Amino acid sequence: MIIQFDQLENLTLQHIFGQASQNITSLAFHSKQVKPGALFFSMKGEEHDGHQYIDEALANGAAAVIGTSFEKLGQLSRDYPDHTFILAEDVRETMALFAKRFHNHSDEKLKTIGVTGTNGKTTVAAYVRSLLTLLDLPAGSIGTTGIWASTHKLSYKKSTPTTPESTDLHQIFHDLAELGDKAAVMEVSSIATDQKRVHGIEFDAAILTNFSEEHLEYHKTIDHYKKCKLALFDQAKSAVINLDDMDMGLELAQTYSGKKITYSLSPVSGADISADNIQFSDIGTNFDLSYNGKIHKATAPIFGTYNIANALAAIGTALLFNYRMEDILRFLPMLESPEGRFQVITGPDNKKIILDYAHTPVALTRLVEEVKKMEYNRLIVMIAGIGIRDFNKMPKMAAAIEGHADEVIVTVDHPGHHDPQIIIDQVMKGFSQPKAPNIKAALTRKEGVIASLAAGEPDDIILLTSGCINGAQIVKGKEIPHSDEEIIESHYQSYYHDCHELEA
């Protein structure tokens, strides 16, 4: 794409050194990913300054560079007179707008839905993708469990665990549109809004699930965290709001001035849609759905009261897009859940292994409450300290589970550059009796899963929680492949093999 940098609209470029135009073939913010003809964005982060990698980007073939150092860019323009070096006030903001332009404003060709909240983003995104697709608005999704088109999972090397960087994000929008999808629902993290990854996108709808303490290792204060969550709604045409959330939902319902729909699990909340008389079975949930003064009988193949709230968020989105309640109810029994969210695997001797990557104290508490409604002998729960997250949250995970499980296995997710034992010790601080015989530790998630499965007896529930994402564990900057499902399968294959040998 030939870009005439001095004629770009809606971009504030402070100075252009060198050539005014270039044939740009790709966009990159990581110097090692630069290809010949790329436009390289030199961003400053908490640990690294992208200006240190400009030389590597140029060596790999970058045709143009955007940065914030007048001196550095000016010097480079003298060394590379055939290149373009651009001074920008905010590289991230500029990158987002460039990415949108480079991919032909593909986000505007789709119905875009942003989902934010401390818990439930992944599940709500999956429910919205599934429901809209069933309603004949084929939708893709972007988030923790990967990138999905309406029909299948796509193969992407994600730049971040939840919300991709803007260059990747607009590439995904382009690809979804090329595949024929008409909508895209995405998880929008507070860090993503703060880092302007979604800058320049006007969302057709924004959804708030809930709000509680999280990501303080990044935001430092709860007020900054909340501000970044609310920022999504400043760039949304309409909103779906959880009225049961006392910290942010009630406030947003009062202050948001656009078209909105509220939801609640309380029929007396005054919400636009609500659920009551929730009844669980082995195949899902039946409930009364109230909307516009009418009560409808609803059925969904989901488990957990909090997941009914997540389903209401999806229903609210469909209503905002003018779908009829009758059609929504017809497709609700076909709703698809995301990977790793209340995923039930049947083991030998009537054991049930449940995968749910709840990784906050609130999510863990809600999850255990729902699991305890099922029939079981003993409850074994694995929790984890996440090395790339807030250390202050780790003891709270222990406090949330203490006294609520027969066996507790403490392990580590994504140790990063930390010693796993330090993470284990930090989690253990939250137990009033850390040396209790029913509390054990495992230094890796794989060891934790195996220890949890080994502790299981007939009719037990084994609940594996926390934040294993993207099929990998992050260890010292590297992604080490990991799959709970594969470990479970391998463990029980060994179990059956040992049993057969004993019988022989």
Side-chain angles (χ1 to χ4, degrees):
M1 176 186 288
I2 302 294
I3 296 182
Q4 190 74 30
F5 291 103
D6 59 354
Q7 295 180 13
L8 293 175
E9 298 179 356
N10 302 321
L11 283 169
T12 304
L13 305 179
Q14 296 179 312
H15 193 83
I16 298 173
F17 299 94
Q19 302 299 313
S21 68
Q22 293 286 350
N23 182 18
I24 299 300
T25 59
S26 61
L27 309 178
F29 57 88
H30 195 299
S31 58
K32 295 187 185 305
Q33 296 173 351
V34 168
K35 299 174 183 177
L39 170 57
F40 176 65
F41 298 92
S42 174
M43 300 188 301
K44 288 186 177 181
E46 290 185 274
E47 299 181 1
H48 302 285
D49 183 350
H51 290 76
Q52 299 172 347
Y53 302 96
I54 293 178
D55 291 331
E56 182 179 17
L58 292 168
N60 287 338
V65 174
I66 294 181
T68 56
S69 172
F70 186 94
E71 291 75 17
K72 175 76 172 176
L73 298 176
Q75 178 59 51
L76 286 168
S77 71
R78 293 187 285 273
D79 296 338
Y80 298 88
D82 294 333
H83 290 60
T84 303
F85 299 90
I86 300 168
L87 184 71
E89 181 177 354
D90 189 321
V91 175
R92 280 192 170 276
E93 184 174 303
T94 304
M95 183 170 78
L97 295 176
F98 254 110
K100 182 183 178 83
R101 178 187 178 89
F102 188 79
H103 292 292
N104 298 314
H105 303 265
S106 293
D107 60 305
E108 297 176 8
K109 301 171 185 177
L110 303 165
K111 286 278 190 183
T112 49
I113 304 102
V115 186
T116 197
T118 307
N119 302 301
K121 292 189 297 296
T122 301
T123 301
V124 169
Y127 288 170
V128 172
R129 167 184 168 265
S130 177
L131 185 57
L132 291 182
T133 300
L134 290 166
L135 288 164
D136 203 26
L137 183 69
S141 65
I142 304 166
T144 307
T145 59
I147 313 302
W148 294 76
S150 58
T151 56
H152 62 286
K153 191 172 187 178
L154 303 178
S155 178
Y156 276 94
K157 173 67 176 175
K158 289 183 64 185
S159 49
T160 67
T162 305
T163 311
E165 292 285 0
S166 58
T167 50
D168 296 332
L169 186 57
H170 287 278
Q171 174 72 62
I172 294 166
F173 288 146
H174 173 269
D175 291 349
L176 291 176
E178 286 290 300
L179 288 168
D181 283 349
K182 303 299 183 184
V185 54
M186 60 179 292
E187 299 177 48
V188 181
S189 68
S190 55
I191 296 173
T193 54
D194 190 52
Q195 294 184 352
K196 303 186 178 179
R197 298 180 204 164
V198 296
H199 179 76
I201 300 172
E202 185 179 29
F203 288 92
D204 290 282
I207 301 170
L208 173 69
T209 60
N210 47 61
F211 180 83
S212 61
E213 183 180 310
E214 173 72 322
H215 291 305
L216 295 190
E217 79 286 352
Y218 175 90
H219 293 288
K220 310 306 180 187
T221 69
I222 195 74
D223 288 339
H224 186 257
Y225 176 46
K226 185 177 183 180
K227 177 183 176 182
C228 292
K229 287 288 186 194
L230 286 169
L232 172 63
F233 295 87
D234 292 333
Q235 56 190 97
K237 298 177 185 177
S238 62
V240 181
I241 302 167
N242 181 4
L243 213 56
D244 292 336
D245 183 77
M246 301 297 177
D247 291 309
M248 189 169 153
L250 288 175
E251 174 187 340
L252 188 61
Q254 294 172 354
T255 59
Y256 184 77
S257 58
K259 184 180 179 182
K260 60 179 176 281
I261 191 163
T262 57
Y263 67 94
S264 169
L265 292 175
S266 171
V268 296
S269 64
D272 297 307
I273 52 175
S274 62
D276 196 14
N277 296 325
I278 300 170
Q279 298 180 341
F280 301 104
S281 70
D282 290 339
I283 59 172
T285 306
N286 299 314
F287 60 98
D288 290 343
L289 177 61
S290 177
Y291 175 62
N292 274 348
K294 290 183 62 177
I295 295 177
H296 308 267
K297 296 295 181 182
T299 299
I302 59 180
F303 301 91
T305 303
Y306 57 90
N307 275 333
I308 300 301
N310 293 332
L312 292 179
I315 293 168
T317 305
L319 291 170
L320 275 181
F321 290 169
N322 298 317
Y323 286 98
R324 299 187 311 159
M325 180 60 80
E326 291 77 8
D327 294 327
I328 294 170
L329 291 170
R330 181 159 53 93
F331 288 114
L332 204 57
M334 306 175 205
L335 203 64
E336 292 183 3
S337 295
E339 295 176 334
R341 296 300 190 272
F342 217 106
Q343 180 180 345
V344 182
I345 299 172
T346 302
D349 302 322
N350 200 34
K351 297 173 191 169
K352 288 187 177 67
I353 302 93
I354 300 176
L355 302 182
D356 192 295
Y357 296 141
H359 58 276
T360 68
V362 171
L364 179 62
T365 299
R366 290 174 178 170
L367 174 63
V368 171
E369 286 175 354
E370 297 304 327
V371 168
K372 285 192 170 186
K373 295 175 182 178
M374 303 171 70
E375 293 185 3
Y376 62 93
N377 177 32
R378 297 185 314 143
L379 176 60
I380 296 143
V381 179
M382 183 184 79
I383 64 171
I386 306 176
I388 58 174
R389 293 288 180 92
D390 180 12
F391 265 55
N392 292 325
K393 185 182 72 176
M394 296 181 188
K396 297 175 184 177
M397 297 296 289
I401 197 61
E402 188 169 28
H404 298 288
D406 297 285
E407 298 277 347
V408 178
I409 310 296
V410 178
T411 190
V412 177
D413 259 335
H414 309 298
H417 293 279
H418 299 290
D419 179 347
Q421 187 60 55
I422 293 175
I423 297 172
I424 293 287
D425 293 343
Q426 183 70 5
V427 177
M428 289 293 188
K429 290 179 181 179
F431 291 112
S432 61
Q433 296 180 315
K435 294 184 179 180
N438 68 326
I439 300 174
K440 300 178 178 63
L443 289 174
T444 68
R445 185 172 180 96
K446 180 177 181 179
E447 293 173 0
V449 172
I450 293 172
S452 301
L453 297 174
E457 297 177 357
D459 301 311
D460 284 353
I461 287 180
I462 302 162
L463 177 59
L464 307 177
T465 76
S466 202
C468 181
I469 50 180
N470 295 340
Q473 287 280 293
I474 300 173
V475 183
K476 296 183 178 178
K478 296 182 179 180
E479 293 187 359
I480 310 300
H482 176 97
S483 168
D484 283 359
E485 291 96 327
E486 289 179 6
I487 295 170
I488 294 165
E489 183 179 357
S490 175
H491 177 83
Y492 286 127
Q493 280 181 348
S494 300
Y495 169 88
Y496 286 124
H497 180 266
D498 293 342
C499 287
H500 289 154
E501 283 193 343
L502 286 172
E503 289 175 1

